[in-house]
Amino acid sequence: MTDEENTLIPSPVLSPKDFDSGFDVRWCPGCGDYAILANLKRVLPTLGIPKENFVVVSGIGCSSRFPYYLDTYGMHTIHGRAPTIATGLKCSRPDLSVWVVTGDGDGLSIGGNHLMHAIRRNVDIKILLFNNQIYGLTKGQYSPTTKQSKRTKSSPTGSIDYPVNPISWALGAEATFIARTIFQYPDHMKEVLRRAAEHKGVSFVEIYQNCIIFNDGAFRYATDKEMRYDNIFELEHGKPMKFGRDQEKGIFLHGLTPKVINYKQAGFDETDLLHHNENAQESTLAFFLSRMRYPEFPEPIGIFRAIQKPTYNDLLDKQMEEAKKSVTKPLQDIINGEENWMVT
Amino acid sequence: MEEVQKLKKENKNRPYKSKQTLERVVIRLAGDSGDGMQLAGLKFTSASVMLGNDVSTFPDYPAEIRAPQGTLAGVSGFQIHFSSTEIYTPGDRLDTLVAMNPAALKVNIGDLKSNGILICDKDSFTPRTLAKAGYTSNPLEDDSLQNYRLFSVNITKFNKETVSKIEGMTGKQINLTRNFFALGLISWLYDRPLDTTIKWIKSKFKNRPNIVEANTNTLKAGYYFGETNEFLAIQYSVPKATMEPGLYRYISGTQALALGLATAAQLAKKELFFGAYPITPASDILHELVRLRGYGIKTFQAEDEIAAIGSIIGAAFGGSIGVTGTSGPGLALMSEALGLAVITELPIVLINVQRAGPSTGMPTKPEQSDLLQVLFGRNGESPLPVLAPQSPGDCFDLSIEAVRIAVKYMTPVVLLSDAYLANNIDPWKIPNLDDQSPIEVFHLTKSLESGNDRFTPYSRNEHLSRPYVLPGTKGLEHRIGGLEKEKITGDVSYDPLNHEEMVNLREQKISGIVKEFPLQEVYGPAEGDVLVLSWGSTHGAAHTASENLRNEGFSVANTNLRFINPLPSNLGDILGSFKRILIPEMNKGQLHLIIQARYSVRAKSLTKVQGKPFHVDEIEALIRKIIAGINHD
Ligand SMILES: Cc1ncc(C[n+]2csc(CCOP(=O)(O)OP(=O)(O)O)c2C)c(N)n1
Ligand code: SF4
Ligand SMILES: [Mg+2]
């Protein structure tokens, strides 16, 4: 189908059902991946993009089975390499909406290099990293995001690895869009996914996802009805950072470190709190926020950073256009070379 | 010639010189990497092709980027074989060696024939340079070179005298023109005209008249020196070869690959996406292709070879022609993704420019030791077609063929070049693009199934290829991936019999490609005593060796494989028609292993793993031995 045809025929209004591939979903009952699938199915039809223009590329892992369950174009590739395939695809076909689904092992361990480079190039692809802090598919070894001391199949006496902080890491690679959301926050997730989709440039979204079999409860502090108010706060652009059951606690900047104060009790006002600015060109604030980890601090969710920078695929196309414009002779002349001779 | 005639007229007192005609000559110009030997060699080559000789050349650069001046590591050489008959190699042993410094002499003297002509720049054999090259006494003055016809010439001094009077020449610039004095001298020795070189100098330095003057004058001075000086008593000439009529240029394997890919893109009316990570000796393909972006080649420098091949798989899924170029260590990194391309049945081309291994090995030196890796170096049963060009020009033809096969059969294709082919420069009859048949790529846009049936991405056509559907095609949304597929729907399947059938189908599809290949051609008798079976770049030496023996009346045939998987359909019959089979290859016998296993024949293996191509006489010697053995039976 040509682009022209696509634009001429008005797209029918799509529903989540249209994105159902009809395959039996094979995740364990209760796996956090179900919720992510359901939310993405709700967001995709609302983006105004024809269904046939979505491509979901994944690596290997429980999370990477994702493309099979969506009725879009998709490729379930090899462990850790999805960003490379997505990069080639987007550069070849900038008209497509290209998504990458990866896990904490897939994206940050074996594929860490590719993820970093896809991000730093600002290829216009949407990367969803399902972080369950464990290797699910290979049945429960610790991953690069597993908390230190965690006992797993491959660390019976506790993991001695220092975990990576995915958001700090993405900032180090200069991601232009960075967000975090949680599998059990449907509305929040939908909003983050929509914003990620609409961002022009690379979007990096970390999604906390519970592996009920091998790492159950890893995010209980963030999902439990009683605990979540004290452990999670939502970032909103231009708004003060506050949280707690009655929104009574706030984030203050104390030197170069964050400080949590019950500001209402202490007699402060909302305007005294740290305010979020997702468009800050410098990533200092976003980095500062990414360092706030449970249990020392409440963890921010939402959009850490959303800035504009020319995308790799646009820059590449621009160079291609210029090269085409500067062509003065047919390929045959190039093949003939500058120096040739006739044998008669 | 005009210029030379003038020179001749001007000089009335020239000594008597005799003339001799030779069938073919091998010379090598050697000096420090800063001495401009590559350029002088190329210009000598141009003059020779203009004269109508068949030519084959081999540049040999130092491995280090900036090797210290005057050291053995910094020696750069350019070898030229020019002939009045058809030739296929840059030649084994040298008839003439030009050495611009002691290091160049030391590195190259071993290749000079005894009684060969040796021209040295006397002025650059100083105590300092001699010491750098590790000489304890000056070889030009002791008796160590008495096996050769030594001519010590004051190249530096004469050059300086010629060009220093020209205005605005700095000391450094003066020294940089020495190569053209040497070029002038050997141009006289082998009766080559200067006009092509002078024309080139004029256009190259058109904004720097003093440089034009300096280079032209010293070139003529060198020529003139040869003509007037008494000690070079003989002038040689190599007459025109009979070559197929047409327009020619000279080309390296690397250039031919790049032009072939650009042509393939044009023939397929598609964008070609070249994703690669720099590695010697394959990086030059990327460098050449970047300059051809205007012809629809999108280049992408990836973060490593895994990303390079990943990017082209993605691009192929999107509908571009995906191509990557690498060498041994990069190929090793690409193997998992190559398997993904096999199972997803996406068309990509991987060019592997082989170099000496294992591991980093000898990055600039050729070997043919990745054959088994490309055939079998992936997990699982993972067949793919393998093509191996036999000459620089053949790199052009086979890169187009590789793209054609990839898209027709929906398969990754490997093209096995090597460091020798990449740099070897041969005359090449320029193809006319109008004579090339278009590359058909068919993208399914409507489901072939009737009614509401689901689209089945793994249904197959008569070639066993699956449909090539591009994302963006409405109604044909589907998923592919590395898990085994149900044979028609492409759904994930662990069914034991389905897997077996899929393994067989993938194998049959690749075997079926044999019908695309021409029948294997044999040079020499169709049956007889010895068949020399070579592959890829070994063709030149194997063919020349066999031909030499045929000319002596021996029953020797030779044939060269350009298609290694699948093997040509008539190869079995050919092998059966000879008493003995000899397989020379630059590895420890990899093709030999395959041929013996596939055809249950006994063959003799000739191996060379020195990071150097075969010499003709190495192959010739073994054939003689084999023949002697047969006659003994
Ligand atoms: C090259 C390679 N090495 C190892 C594996 C085995 N493997 C498959 S998935 C996986 C880890 C997956 O973890 P993660 O990315 O966190 O995904 P999850 O299953 O947790 O969603 C591993 C090690 C593989 N498939 N390929
Ligand atoms: S193992 Fe864990 S991550 Fe994998 S499907 Fe089961 S619950 Fe989900
Ligand atoms: Mg995981």
Side-chain angles (χ1 to χ4, degrees):
Chain A
M1 170 135 320
T2 63
D3 293 344
E4 210 178 333
E5 279 175 274
N6 277 339
T7 47
L8 286 179
I9 307 168
S11 321
V13 179
L14 295 169
S15 73
K17 193 111 199 31
D18 292 315
F19 283 84
D20 193 337
S21 69
F23 281 85
D24 294 339
V25 183
R26 294 276 170 79
W27 290 312
C28 307
C31 173
D33 289 343
Y34 284 97
I36 308 175
L37 177 63
N39 287 319
L40 193 65
K41 271 195 206 159
R42 286 186 196 115
V43 172
L44 294 182
T46 67
L47 298 172
I49 298 170
K51 188 175 75 155
E52 61 274 16
N53 281 10
F54 286 108
V55 186
V56 184
V57 184
S58 65
I60 298 291
C62 296
S63 38
S64 287
R65 294 293 175 95
F66 210 82
Y68 291 117
Y69 308 136
L70 276 178
D71 192 32
T72 62
Y73 284 92
M75 202 187 317
H76 176 224
T77 70
I78 44 177
H79 201 19
R81 320 302 175 192
T84 72
I85 288 153
T87 296
L89 177 62
K90 183 70 190 179
C91 291
S92 143
R93 291 284 306 279
D95 58 311
L96 300 173
S97 174
V98 179
W99 295 66
V100 168
V101 172
T102 182
D104 43 318
D106 190 67
L108 295 169
S109 189
I110 191 165
N113 190 34
H114 308 305
L115 195 58
M116 171 174 85
H117 290 286
I119 289 176
R120 80 165 164 87
R121 289 191 185 103
N122 199 30
V123 185
D124 190 8
I125 55 179
K126 315 294 138 201
I127 301 167
L128 310 182
L129 186 131
F130 296 13
N131 185 2
N132 55 13
Q133 300 185 350
I134 202 84
Y135 285 177
L137 191 70
T138 45
K139 299 197 165 72
Q141 302 83 0
Y142 62 95
S143 88
T145 56
T146 302
K147 297 248 153 64
Q148 208 182 25
S149 310
K150 173 94 188 164
R151 291 169 197 265
T152 71
K153 273 237 186 83
S154 55
S155 60
T157 53
S159 155
I160 53 173
D161 276 31
Y162 298 103
V164 67
N165 177 330
I167 305 267
S168 303
W169 187 91
L171 280 163
E174 301 288 347
T176 50
F177 181 96
I178 302 181
R180 178 193 283 148
T181 186
I182 301 174
F183 74 108
Q184 280 193 346
Y185 287 45
D187 293 332
H188 187 263
M189 190 190 304
K190 277 184 287 183
E191 179 58 13
V192 163
L193 292 175
R194 188 185 61 76
R195 285 286 309 276
E198 283 165 8
H199 174 71
K200 193 164 161 49
V202 73
S203 301
F204 177 80
V205 182
E206 179 191 18
I207 306 174
Y208 287 172
Q209 173 250 328
N210 191 45
C211 169
I212 196 167
I213 305 293
F214 298 112
N215 201 13
D216 192 23
F219 302 105
R220 188 162 294 135
Y221 67 92
T223 54
D224 182 273
K225 280 199 177 62
E226 294 306 313
M227 300 165 79
R228 58 196 274 179
Y229 297 105
D230 290 330
N231 294 327
I232 293 294
F233 70 97
E234 287 187 30
L235 295 169
E236 284 179 89
H237 181 62
K239 301 269 173 67
M241 298 178 200
K242 53 183 183 168
F243 63 105
R245 190 173 285 277
D246 303 312
Q247 298 279 294
E248 74 286 7
K249 291 184 262 194
I251 314 290
F252 285 80
L253 187 58
H254 183 75
L256 287 176
T257 46
K259 210 172 167 86
V260 173
I261 297 177
N262 188 322
Y263 71 97
K264 287 188 176 164
Q265 242 170 36
F268 287 105
D269 177 298
E270 268 193 11
T271 53
D272 299 321
L273 302 180
L274 191 58
H275 283 53
H276 186 43
N277 176 9
E278 61 186 37
N279 305 136
Q281 279 303 314
E282 270 313 314
S283 54
T284 321
L285 175 65
F287 189 77
F288 170 93
L289 292 169
S290 76
R291 307 309 296 166
M292 297 178 68
R293 300 309 299 260
Y294 173 81
E296 291 79 15
F297 290 103
E299 292 187 344
I301 60 169
I303 293 151
F304 286 66
R305 187 178 206 219
I307 63 159
Q308 286 304 318
K309 198 155 89 172
T311 67
Y312 183 86
N313 39 288
D314 278 352
L315 292 171
L316 181 58
D317 276 338
K318 224 162 115 194
Q319 288 198 343
M320 286 294 293
E321 277 318 304
E322 274 158 24
K324 279 180 190 154
K325 263 190 250 155
S326 66
V327 163
T328 53
K329 38 189 177 182
L331 183 60
Q332 181 74 60
D333 287 9
I334 304 287
I335 293 174
N336 291 356
E338 279 165 19
E339 217 176 307
N340 52 40
W341 68 97
M342 201 70 190
V343 172
T344 46
Chain B
M1 275 324 264
E2 227 175 82
E3 306 277 348
V4 176
Q5 297 301 349
K6 217 160 58 197
L7 271 173
K8 280 184 179 162
K9 261 183 237 146
E10 280 163 12
N11 175 42
K12 293 187 190 91
N13 320 323
R14 97 194 114 88
Y16 173 75
K17 304 256 181 170
S18 70
K19 279 213 168 203
Q20 239 181 57
T21 302
L22 301 173
E23 183 192 322
R24 53 183 166 201
V25 173
V26 182
I27 68 168
R28 190 184 294 162
L29 310 180
D32 197 65
S33 45
D35 283 344
M37 292 298 103
Q38 305 296 325
L39 179 61
L42 277 172
K43 295 301 122 195
F44 189 91
T45 306
S46 297
S48 301
V49 296
M50 293 299 169
L51 271 183
N53 291 147
D54 194 3
V55 181
S56 180
T57 73
F58 193 70
D60 190 14
Y61 315 100
E64 282 77 20
I65 312 289
R66 297 268 180 273
Q69 205 187 0
T71 60
L72 302 180
V75 173
S76 160
F78 194 98
Q79 183 165 322
I80 308 147
H81 186 187
F82 51 106
S83 168
S84 56
T85 54
E86 249 183 288
I87 49 172
Y88 303 93
T89 75
D92 294 358
R93 323 224 74 206
L94 309 174
D95 296 298
T96 291
L97 170 66
V98 177
M100 298 297 278
N101 70 5
L105 176 67
K106 189 157 207 177
V107 168
N108 294 291
I109 187 69
D111 294 332
L112 185 61
K113 285 179 183 163
S114 76
N115 206 34
I117 297 175
L118 174 61
I119 298 172
C120 294
D121 177 17
K122 195 174 179 174
D123 303 323
S124 55
F125 282 65
T126 65
R128 219 171 70 95
T129 58
L130 286 164
K132 265 197 193 165
Y135 280 113
T136 47
S137 78
N138 187 345
L140 305 184
E141 286 160 10
D142 59 28
D143 287 338
S144 60
L145 297 172
Q146 57 182 334
N147 259 340
Y148 312 102
R149 282 181 279 162
L150 171 66
F151 301 103
S152 300
V153 182
N154 295 96
I155 295 180
T156 301
K157 185 172 145 233
F158 293 148
N159 173 62
K160 195 170 174 183
E161 280 171 9
T162 311
V163 304
S164 58
K165 358 181 227 277
I166 297 168
E167 216 174 299
M169 292 294 290
T170 65
K172 198 173 161 203
Q173 282 171 337
I174 291 169
N175 222 25
L176 283 177
T177 56
R178 284 162 73 230
N179 57 340
F180 276 70
F181 185 94
L183 175 61
L185 179 55
I186 52 162
S187 295
W188 178 82
L189 184 62
Y190 288 108
D191 197 13
R192 316 274 103 177
L194 301 182
D195 42 5
T196 52
T197 307
I198 292 173
K199 214 169 99 192
W200 177 86
I201 293 171
K202 278 185 183 146
S203 80
K204 173 86 186 169
F205 302 108
K206 57 175 173 278
N207 299 322
R208 298 160 76 192
N210 63 330
I211 304 287
V212 171
E213 195 184 344
N215 280 308
T216 310
N217 288 7
T218 195
L219 179 73
K220 288 180 188 171
Y223 189 98
Y224 194 53
F225 177 84
E227 192 177 45
T228 52
N229 209 288
E230 322 229 334
F231 73 152
L232 280 171
I234 310 173
Q235 186 182 35
Y236 301 95
S237 67
V238 174
K240 241 172 112 113
T242 36
M243 292 177 68
E244 228 185 291
L247 188 65
Y248 281 75
R249 63 171 283 181
Y250 48 83
I251 198 158
S252 71
T254 300
Q255 289 168 328
L257 279 176
L259 294 174
L261 293 174
T263 302
Q266 185 162 311
L267 294 173
K269 298 198 176 68
K270 277 206 162 266
E271 183 171 87
L272 188 141
F273 185 96
F274 188 80
Y277 186 72
I279 185 167
T280 304
S283 311
D284 286 335
I285 306 172
L286 175 62
H287 306 159
E288 293 282 336
L289 286 175
V290 161
R291 304 198 340 236
L292 296 174
R293 273 184 169 182
Y295 298 90
I297 293 182
K298 213 171 235 180
T299 56
F300 171 66
Q301 181 174 315
E303 60 269 24
D304 60 26
E305 284 85 352
I306 301 174
I309 188 167
S311 73
I312 69 166
I313 289 174
F317 188 51
S320 301
I321 299 170
V323 183
T324 187
T326 189
S327 189
L331 174 70
L333 284 181
M334 289 182 181
S335 38
E336 188 194 9
L338 206 49
L340 177 68
V342 168
I343 198 166
T344 53
E345 305 190 38
L346 283 173
I348 59 167
V349 174
L350 187 161
I351 298 166
N352 180 42
V353 188
Q354 299 170 94
R355 66 188 220 187
S359 189
T360 311
M362 301 196 286
T364 56
K365 305 292 177 196
E367 216 163 77
Q368 294 180 302
S369 44
D370 296 344
L371 178 61
L372 294 180
Q373 187 182 356
V374 300
L375 287 172
F376 305 118
R378 288 171 297 287
N379 55 307
E381 297 291 347
S382 178
L384 47 75
V386 177
L387 278 53
Q390 65 180 24
S391 64
D394 198 28
C395 290
F396 179 87
D397 297 335
L398 285 194
S399 58
I400 297 172
E401 196 55 31
V403 171
R404 200 186 295 281
I405 290 169
V407 293
K408 180 163 179 185
Y409 287 88
M410 296 293 285
T411 177
V413 177
V414 171
L415 195 68
L416 272 184
S417 176
D418 61 48
Y420 166 67
L421 273 185
N423 294 328
N424 182 199
I425 298 170
D426 276 3
W428 178 54
K429 187 164 171 250
I430 300 168
N432 189 337
L433 292 191
D434 296 338
D435 300 341
Q436 305 272 339
S437 43
I439 297 176
E440 312 278 355
V441 191
F442 176 67
H443 296 300
L444 194 68
T445 52
K446 278 200 193 70
S447 184
L448 295 173
E449 286 78 28
S450 56
N452 291 329
D453 285 354
R454 265 180 55 212
F455 164 58
T456 52
Y458 274 76
S459 51
R460 288 169 197 278
N461 67 10
E462 73 272 26
H463 306 299
L464 299 182
S465 312
R466 70 176 195 87
Y468 194 0
V469 173
L470 303 187
T473 311
K474 202 179 174 101
L476 300 189
E477 291 87 351
H478 65 281
R479 275 69 48 197
I480 57 175
L483 289 171
E484 184 59 287
K485 326 243 162 294
E486 199 282 326
K487 63 182 181 204
I488 293 169
T489 61
D491 294 349
V492 174
S493 168
Y494 292 163
D495 180 89
L497 291 179
N498 177 74
H499 174 56
E500 188 156 56
E501 211 176 326
M502 284 300 277
V503 168
N504 292 336
L505 269 172
R506 287 187 286 261
E507 189 187 24
Q508 284 163 24
K509 180 175 85 165
I510 302 307
S511 313
I513 296 174
V514 77
K515 63 183 180 288
E516 305 291 325
F517 301 160
L519 285 180
Q520 186 66 22
E521 246 181 277
V522 178
Y523 300 94
E527 53 187 291
D529 286 349
V530 182
L531 175 76
V532 181
L533 174 66
S534 54
W535 69 276
S537 74
T538 306
H539 173 62
H543 182 70
T544 310
S546 314
E547 207 167 60
N548 289 349
L549 290 164
R550 281 198 285 279
N551 290 341
E552 286 180 33
F554 291 108
S555 164
V556 176
N558 69 288
T559 188
N560 189 64
L561 292 174
R562 297 159 71 226
F563 303 99
I564 301 189
N565 196 40
L567 284 161
S569 54
N570 60 334
L571 184 61
D573 291 344
I574 296 173
L575 295 173
S577 306
F578 292 87
K579 290 194 191 131
R580 297 281 191 279
I581 298 158
L582 172 64
I583 306 180
E585 45 188 334
M586 284 190 279
N587 58 40
K588 289 299 285 175
Q590 300 191 9
L591 180 69
H592 179 252
L593 189 73
I594 289 170
I595 294 295
Q596 296 214 129
R598 270 289 300 276
Y599 298 98
S600 308
V601 292
R602 287 202 56 77
K604 181 142 185 61
S605 174
L606 171 60
T607 69
K608 181 172 184 179
V609 281
Q610 302 172 6
K612 282 182 178 179
F614 276 103
H615 282 179
V616 173
D617 56 17
E618 290 163 345
I619 299 177
E620 221 178 282
L622 190 56
I623 304 176
R624 283 183 202 282
K625 233 169 144 180
I626 293 171
I627 293 171
I630 297 175
N631 295 340
H632 225 71
D633 293 346

